[in-house]
Amino acid sequence: MAVREIIRMGHPVLRQRARELTPEEITSPGLRDLIDDMVDTLAASGGIGLAAPQIAEPVRLAIIRIPGGPSRYGEIEEVPLTIYVNPTIEIRDAEEQGFWEGCLSVPGLRGYVERPRGIRVRWQDLDGQPETADYEGFLATVFQHEFDHLDGRLYIDRMQDTTRLMFEEEFARYGDATAAID
Ligand code: NI
C-alpha cells in the first residue's frame, strides 16, 4: 500500500481510453493492491474520487468516497467508499445542470461545466457481480467526471465557456459572482 503520484494534464495516459478489466483480473490480488494504493492516494489528496488512469494505470477502475452533508452545492448524499470496476453510464435525465468542477489532475483550477442531471451507473464489484445505482444532482456530475477519465477526457473538454475557467484563489473571490450572471 502506498500513496502514488497523481499524474497531471499533459501526461499521455490521461488522454488514453482505459481498457476493461477481465474477470480473472477483477478477482486477482494485483487488483486488490492497486485499489489499496488508490484508496491511500485519494485519502492523501483530500479529493472525493480517483480514477486509475490518474495514477498512470490505464484500466477501467475508479473509486469514490463522498462524506455527504451540507456544502455549497446544498445537502449532499453520502457515498461510502465504493469501487467501480468497468463502469458505464446511462443518461436518465438529459436536462443539463452546471457545477464548478475541479480535478486532482488539473490542480489549482476550477471550471464551470454543464452535464446531464440524472444518470444510471452500472459496474462490477470485486467479485465480478453486476451492480446498479441511480444518481441525480451533484452526484451525477461527480460520476460523469470520474468516468470521463476512463475515456481520456478531462472536465475542461466539457466546458462551453472557457471564460469560466479560473484559478482557485480567483474563483473564491469572483467565481460566485460569475455564476450569478446566468
Ligand atoms: Ni478528475
Side-chain angles (χ1 to χ4, degrees):
M1 288 169 281
V3 174
R4 303 266 294 263
E5 180 191 1
I6 296 176
I7 60 173
R8 303 196 306 175
M9 180 169 61
H11 192 299
V13 168
L14 287 174
R15 292 313 198 169
Q16 291 176 15
R17 185 185 186 280
R19 68 171 179 82
E20 308 262 333
L21 286 158
T22 66
E24 294 72 30
E25 286 175 314
I26 291 170
T27 53
S28 70
L31 195 77
R32 300 298 185 280
D33 291 345
L34 173 55
I35 290 165
D36 284 347
D37 284 358
M38 289 175 66
V39 170
D40 289 350
T41 304
L42 181 63
S45 74
I48 57 177
L50 186 71
Q54 294 182 275
I55 57 168
E57 301 280 355
V59 293
R60 302 187 82 77
L61 170 67
I63 63 172
I64 289 178
R65 173 189 266 157
I66 299 174
S71 80
R72 59 193 168 83
Y73 300 121
E75 187 75 18
I76 293 174
E77 185 188 341
E78 181 186 356
V79 179
L81 176 66
T82 309
I83 294 138
Y84 299 86
V85 176
N86 296 331
T88 60
I89 285 178
E90 174 193 336
I91 306 297
R92 304 276 292 172
D93 181 350
E95 187 162 325
E96 297 214 322
Q97 58 176 1
F99 291 102
W100 287 88
E101 298 188 21
C103 182
L104 297 170
S105 294
V106 190
L109 293 175
R110 287 284 180 276
Y112 188 80
V113 184
E114 293 181 62
R115 300 179 187 265
R117 73 178 183 188
I119 60 168
R120 174 162 295 171
V121 177
R122 293 186 176 84
W123 72 98
Q124 288 166 271
D125 67 15
L126 289 178
D127 296 319
Q129 296 304 305
E131 302 270 2
T132 303
D134 291 350
Y135 297 103
E136 294 179 348
F138 178 67
L139 291 186
T141 275
V142 170
F143 282 85
Q144 290 173 81
H145 175 121
E146 290 309 325
F147 298 163
D148 263 356
H149 280 299
L150 307 180
D151 291 324
R153 226 175 263 129
L154 300 173
Y155 78 81
I156 56 164
D157 308 338
R158 301 284 192 187
M159 292 186 67
Q160 292 166 348
D161 177 0
T162 52
T163 68
R164 300 176 99 183
L165 182 65
M166 301 187 182
F167 290 101
E168 283 169 344
E169 199 177 322
E170 281 71 13
F171 172 68
R173 286 183 68 182
Y174 308 116
D176 291 338
T178 306
I181 287 170
D182 59 358

